[in-house]
Amino acid sequence: MSRALRILLAGILLLGSVMSLSAAENAPLVRGTAITDPDVLKRLDQDDVLTISRLLWPERNANFPLTNDQLFAWLPQLRDIPPAIDAEFDRYIARHKAVSPSETIGVGDGFDVQLFDRLSLKSADTRFVLAGIVNRMDRAYVSQESCGEIRLIYRLARFGPGPDGGSTATRLPMTLNLVMKARDARQTDGSGKPITCAELARRWLENGDWQSLIGSRTAPYDAMIDRIETNIQISIAPKSALHDFRSDYLLKVFKYDPATKTFVESTLENQIDRDRILADDALRHDFKAWLLELANLREFDRGTVQIPEQYLAKAAVAPTPAGLDGSALQPEFGLVEGERNSDPVFTDDDIVGALKQAAARGISMENIRSVAGFQRRLNDVTCSGCHQTRGIGGFHFPGVDWLTEGASTATIVPASPHFVGDQLRRRDILTAFATGKHPDFSRGFASRPQTRGSRELAGTEYQDGWGAHCSLQNAGSGTADKSFTSWTCAKGLTCQAAAASNRIGMCFIKTR
């Protein structure tokens, strides 16, 4: 066995001991689908078991996490990430100055638009802290061979001296996800047999199996690495006479290249490059033809579509709050007829015609049953559109805050309502894998979870309780939009308009 694998397998023994103590404490909704126990995450991080540096550089002698100045200087795999992020910042600043020349932009409270301090990425006082582990075997439809993904989520934090000789830690608005394949095809169990998706799912549902996360003796460790995803709160603009409060989040993806052993800038999955498509007649024609082709339209409806790279962007900025009404803050705005664009990619007739053709071929649509449904799916299938949906300030998983125990500013919950509401679907897929059934990978809209017949979410903010999204009747028509007719409110609540939109509202207590 290699020295690197001995280090990693030693980590398994430590992790197994903590997991046995914490398994019963895991919230039922995330059982088998996520690790959010602060004690487990703290120990894995502080004992250098699942830090970024240990996973990407397992043969190193040190047994402590690397600070960011060391991380990016000592690990050649990461060398392309900081300059790619710098380039996005430069483009963002240039765009802002062109659009809003009267507003100042820079790092610090003295600016109208306050930028994230990029020096934090290269500082000796900062490092990435393990904030959560998320099982995404529900994404096995992307690559059946790998059985989906496991995401290790790290939050950037600044450390400094505290009172009485102690130290303080402050979480910064950036997450980095190290995305691993759930398994490598060459991975084996203790008897030498290949580990199946069914076995993997059973281990997660029972108690978590960490050998499956970090590989086995027979699989090269870097064969498990897929990509790094970054999410940075690139700027904050406090409320002023010119605009309401706004916060922008920069999303980037870096795919791992095993040949060069580096992370290379890549397109974001399903992040439609709206501006480029609208500006290129040939591209818009091809994109429309591709998406409305019945096989692709069906996967689009199910939420499992994989849009080809030629239509995608390598970066996205997700402004929040974006609101319920259509606006240029939403990534699909302008692609569909009626959104203040005289030359859209998709007309109402295009969409209605495609839906009629699907029905004639016996293809049942689960979510998209109207133009409004098509428009909503076009928005939430993108990375930035999904991050605008019931997220916590642009993060669906800001992570467990085990650094600031007792602090009034600590994050109380690790994830957004969208994340929590989706756990039943994810667990349903794990259960199907574990019992040898073919999973149903479909998902509803990001703002309304699928319950798959379960009533665990009934009466809660995630499904039909106070604050849940619900269906309003179309103004003047007296009929509800077919894409949202099932979006009802629990007894005692009523669906009320939360914005000018005449389709989607929120569940509130009835008032006289």
Side-chain angles (χ1 to χ4, degrees), residues 251-271:
L251 310 178
K252 293 284 290 179
V253 170
F254 302 87
K255 289 283 290 183
Y256 184 68
D257 182 349
T260 62
K261 297 187 182 298
T262 58
F263 289 92
V264 181
E265 188 178 16
S266 177
T267 55
L268 281 69
E269 182 178 307
N270 289 350
Q271 182 63 43

Side-chain angles (χ1 to χ4, degrees), residues 448 468-472 487-489 495-496 503-507:
R448 187 81 177 194
H469 286 198
C470 53
S471 172
L472 289 169
W487 297 21
T488 57
C489 295
C495 190
Q496 302 177 27
R503 295 186 179 95
I504 304 301
M506 298 186 76
C507 296

Side-chain angles (χ1 to χ4, degrees), residues 313-324:
K314 286 190 174 181
V317 173
T320 60
L324 294 176

Side-chain angles (χ1 to χ4, degrees), residues 278-328:
L278 287 173
D280 187 325
D281 288 340
L283 198 63
R284 66 158 62 207
H285 175 272
D286 291 346
F287 179 56
K288 178 169 73 172
W290 183 88
L291 189 56
L292 296 184
E293 198 278 321
L294 290 185
N296 298 328
L297 183 63
R298 179 179 180 275
E299 295 307 311
F300 182 58
D301 170 72
R302 289 167 51 82
T304 56
V305 70
Q306 293 291 293
I307 299 175
E309 286 197 3
Q310 63 262 35
Y311 308 121
L312 305 180
K314 286 190 174 181
V317 173
T320 60
L324 294 176
D325 290 337
S327 74

Side-chain angles (χ1 to χ4, degrees), residues 213-226:
L213 171 61
I214 64 173
S216 70
R217 303 181 187 186
T218 59
Y221 179 65
D222 64 359
M224 304 290 289
I225 301 173
D226 187 74

